Amino acid sequence: QTRFPPEPNGYLHIGHAKAICVDFGVARDYGGTCNLRYDDTNPAREDVEYVESIERDVRWLGFEPAAVLYSADYFPKMYELAERLVREGKAFVDDLDDEQIKTYRGTLSAPGTPSPFRERSPDENLALLRKMKAGELPDGACVLRAKIDLASPNMKMRDPLLYRIRHAHHHRTGDAWCIYPMYDWAHPIEDAIEGITHSICTLEFENNRELYDWIIEAVGVTDPAKRPHQTEFARLNLSYTVMSKRKLLELVEKKHVSGWDDPRMPTIAGLRRRSVTPEAIRDFADRIG
């Protein structure tokens, strides 16, 4: 059981086409299933237009999701598990800002320094987390962090962020939430709930795998038969081609192109408008390995 987890903050491009072919293709080849699951944890950058375009592109490429799901479906469960971590002393609310957190984390050659708020009691942390959830604190006032290992050679394990405050309207949950989970917290929990066996992602998440496994254990998934595993593959890069959603968005917003489906764009929508067939894209993904 696999999943394709796009963030709905832009249209999919040819790099995502490879990921789609890998995620859905592995499930097809081994008689499994693949879910389309939107990583809608950052409402400030997301839009319903992108949600609709992503599903349209996946289906046009010839793949049928076993289910269409959203991170937002799991927000209540994720928050419940966050409170559990706080009660068990495995997470704390930190008042440091982003720059201070970065400084306190240390470097590759030097361990991190504990936040002055790291030893707050579980009761104090729980009260602050509930204030965050209730909307009583402004954006940036504090974050929820896991309490792991400030001397770890893996920087991802040095008390990573789990939740941040975002007073932003969500395209599915409206204004029900003003704290949103970080991807590293959301993803393993979603995988575990859905019974994902192979969580396939690109190589830049290789260092995140240790944190992925830590979270799976911390939330109580101990049965090896029910435990998802992360596997990385090389992302697609094309020479002389812009493969950044942020830069493609800039081209669209500044009207350098006619839209996301401009035939000069490396988006799936642009390729479709250029009369490239889904069979050709699937064949390309197979050939590059």
Side-chain angles (χ1 to χ4, degrees):
Q1 289 179 261
T2 65
R3 80 295 164 269
F4 173 60
E7 186 178 355
N9 61 358
Y11 278 53
L12 301 182
H13 55 58
I14 188 65
H16 297 107
K18 175 186 173 177
I20 291 168
C21 290
V22 170
D23 290 335
F24 282 90
V26 166
R28 176 200 61 211
D29 293 347
Y30 291 91
T33 60
C34 184
N35 295 338
L36 169 59
R37 184 180 69 223
Y38 293 99
D39 171 33
D40 53 345
T41 55
N42 187 3
R45 297 172 56 194
E46 295 158 8
D47 195 286
V48 175
E49 176 192 354
Y50 301 144
V51 171
E52 293 171 349
S53 75
I54 288 168
E55 185 172 353
R56 183 167 61 245
D57 288 347
V58 167
R59 293 185 186 277
W60 178 77
L61 278 173
F63 298 106
E64 184 70 30
V68 178
L69 304 164
Y70 299 81
S71 291
D73 298 340
Y74 308 111
F75 283 173
K77 185 63 178 177
M78 287 180 204
Y79 177 77
E80 177 191 321
L81 291 170
E83 283 208 355
R84 184 171 127 191
L85 245 63
V86 167
R87 284 195 296 271
E88 292 174 355
K90 296 176 182 174
F92 67 101
V93 175
D94 196 351
D95 295 0
L96 296 180
D97 61 32
D98 289 347
E99 202 56 46
Q100 290 170 320
I101 289 173
K102 187 177 177 183
T103 303
Y104 273 71
R105 273 215 177 104
T107 65
L108 290 172
S109 56
T113 304
S115 163
F117 308 100
R118 196 175 194 263
E119 298 308 321
R120 280 172 163 158
S121 70
D123 286 345
E124 190 179 358
N125 282 315
L126 199 56
L128 285 168
L129 178 59
R130 288 174 178 171
K131 276 189 171 185
M132 289 169 63
K133 180 178 180 286
E136 296 176 21
L137 300 171
D139 288 7
C142 52
V143 293
L144 182 69
R145 297 176 68 182
K147 190 188 289 189
I148 309 181
D149 181 6
L150 289 166
S152 172
N154 183 352
M155 300 293 283
K156 295 288 182 183
M157 299 300 286
R158 296 187 185 182
D159 293 4
L161 272 63
L162 303 180
Y163 273 92
R164 75 283 207 211
I165 302 170
R166 286 281 186 282
H167 290 272
H169 187 80
H170 191 281
H171 66 95
R172 282 183 70 79
T173 60
D175 297 317
W177 294 87
C178 56
I179 59 169
Y180 290 94
M182 304 299 291
Y183 180 83
D184 281 330
W185 173 246
H187 202 100
I189 292 172
E190 293 159 356
D191 285 347
I193 292 171
E194 291 175 23
I196 300 303
T197 57
H198 295 72
S199 184
I200 307 170
C201 58
T202 45
L203 280 169
E204 68 264 33
F205 291 99
E206 188 174 8
N207 287 337
N208 301 58
R209 193 195 323 147
E210 188 178 356
L211 177 55
Y212 182 98
D213 291 340
W214 184 90
I215 289 171
I216 290 290
E217 289 181 15
V219 300
V221 183
T222 54
D223 183 349
K226 296 180 179 178
R227 181 175 179 151
H229 292 275
Q230 178 177 305
T231 305
E232 304 85 21
F233 71 96
R235 66 187 300 168
L236 173 65
N237 284 308
L238 295 180
S239 299
Y240 309 110
T241 304
V242 176
M243 300 284 275
S244 158
K245 268 198 289 187
R246 180 177 55 79
K247 291 176 181 175
L248 294 175
L249 176 63
E250 190 177 336
L251 291 175
V252 173
E253 289 182 337
K254 292 186 176 178
K255 301 194 184 306
H256 294 301
V257 293
S258 61
W260 286 98
D261 67 344
D262 188 298
R264 294 168 292 180
M265 292 278 271
T267 55
I268 296 174
L271 291 164
R272 180 167 58 238
R273 191 172 164 196
R274 220 189 305 175
S275 300
V276 175
T277 65
E279 293 81 5
I281 295 174
R282 293 201 305 268
D283 184 58
F284 173 64
D286 286 342
R287 285 168 184 261
I288 58 178

